[in-house]
Amino acid sequence: DAGITQSPRHKVTETGTPVTLRCHQTENHRYMYWYRQDPGHGLRLIHYSYGVKDTDKGEVSDGYSVSRSKTEDFLLTLESATSSQTSVYFCAIRPKTTGSYEQYFGPGTRLTVT
Amino acid sequence: AQKVTQAQTEISVVEKEDVTLDCVYETRDTTYYLFWYKQPPSGELVFLIRRNSFDEQNEISGRYSWNFQKSTSSFNFTITASQVVDSAVYFCALYNQGGKLIFGQGTELSVKP
């Protein structure tokens, strides 16, 4: 158990509304990631963070923003949700262990944009 | 370009059969890491194994084994004597020097009783 929680776990929202997903970790990991999972695409990186206030874009960052004001929280915001953002969103952390590059994932958030 | 290809979208076997999931990767880096993850029907992603590019030794863990071959850029995963609980989507992934994990599209394994 990597001590990662995501909230909410399920959300239905309307097109054009803002949505914020939260990822919370309890083990002081420096690196945190947001992915989306869609059929036929595996997992694709949206944004990631390598420290408080240090973030960078991933492969599919358009329409998303992130913030990390505390080590334990990494927020993903959809400023104006669209139906193409209907997906399952996973947060992940990378442990600090030297030479360990695997990531551990939260339980996921299923987002439906109607 | 960095890429991971899992050509098998779906595989269906009968319990106790052996099954191999293929993974082919592309990278220009000399140092890289490969991973397998399991996603059971409940939806969580479970880390199974990590392999670095300097270690081509095959690994066995119970009914699971992994075959890493740099010459063919492959990192295949074999389940021996499959069980219904092995039914899941399996993802192969590549970690590159850019610091990002690149996933294949996944292979959905269905093990029927």
Side-chain angles (χ1 to χ4, degrees), chain A residues 10 13 24 43 62 84 100 107 111 113:
Chain A
H10 302 270
T13 192
H24 180 77
L43 282 90
D62 287 348
S84 65
S100 171
L111 177 67
V113 184

Side-chain angles (χ1 to χ4, degrees), chain A residues 26-43:
Chain A
T26 58
E27 298 182 8
N28 205 33
H29 298 295
R30 178 182 173 192
Y31 291 89
M32 298 183 74
Y33 306 81
W34 276 108
Y35 292 87
R36 60 178 288 173
Q37 182 179 18
D38 305 289
H41 290 279
L43 282 90

Side-chain angles (χ1 to χ4, degrees), chain A residues 5-110:
Chain A
T5 57
Q6 293 184 231
S7 58
R9 294 292 314 280
H10 302 270
K11 186 169 182 69
V12 179
T13 192
E14 294 185 350
T15 298
T17 59
V19 176
T20 295
L21 309 182
R22 180 185 185 230
C23 178
H24 180 77
Q25 52 117 343
T26 58
E27 298 182 8
N28 205 33
H29 298 295
R30 178 182 173 192
Y31 291 89
M32 298 183 74
Y33 306 81
W34 276 108
Y35 292 87
R36 60 178 288 173
Q37 182 179 18
D38 305 289
H41 290 279
L43 282 90
R44 293 180 292 174
L45 182 65
I46 305 172
H47 281 280
Y48 65 102
S49 170
Y50 45 95
V52 173
K53 297 194 173 147
D54 290 324
T55 64
D56 206 348
K57 295 179 179 180
E59 178 188 1
V60 289
S61 59
D62 287 348
Y64 301 95
S65 62
V66 290
S67 65
R68 192 165 177 203
S69 58
K70 298 185 290 184
T71 299
E72 57 266 33
D73 289 325
F74 191 31
L75 304 181
L76 177 70
T77 297
L78 291 65
E79 300 290 348
S80 178
T82 67
S83 58
S84 65
Q85 293 176 311
T86 292
S87 187
V88 180
Y89 291 86
F90 286 96
C91 174
I93 59 92
R94 175 156 76 84
K96 292 178 287 187
T97 310
T98 301
S100 171
Y101 296 98
E102 62 268 21
Q103 295 176 15
Y104 294 89
F105 289 81
T109 294
R110 183 173 293 275

Side-chain angles (χ1 to χ4, degrees), chain A residues 35 37 40 90 101-103, chain B residues 33 35 37 39 50 91 95:
Chain A
Y35 292 87
Q37 182 179 18
F90 286 96
Y101 296 98
E102 62 268 21
Q103 295 176 15
Chain B
Y33 297 81
F35 308 88
Y37 285 84
Q39 187 175 41
R50 173 186 76 229
F91 291 98
Y95 178 87

Side-chain angles (χ1 to χ4, degrees), chain B residues 38 41 47 64 70 74 81-82 87 96 103:
Chain B
K38 175 181 180 179
F47 165 69
Y64 294 175
K70 287 178 75 170
S74 65
S82 60
S87 296
N96 64 11
F103 285 84

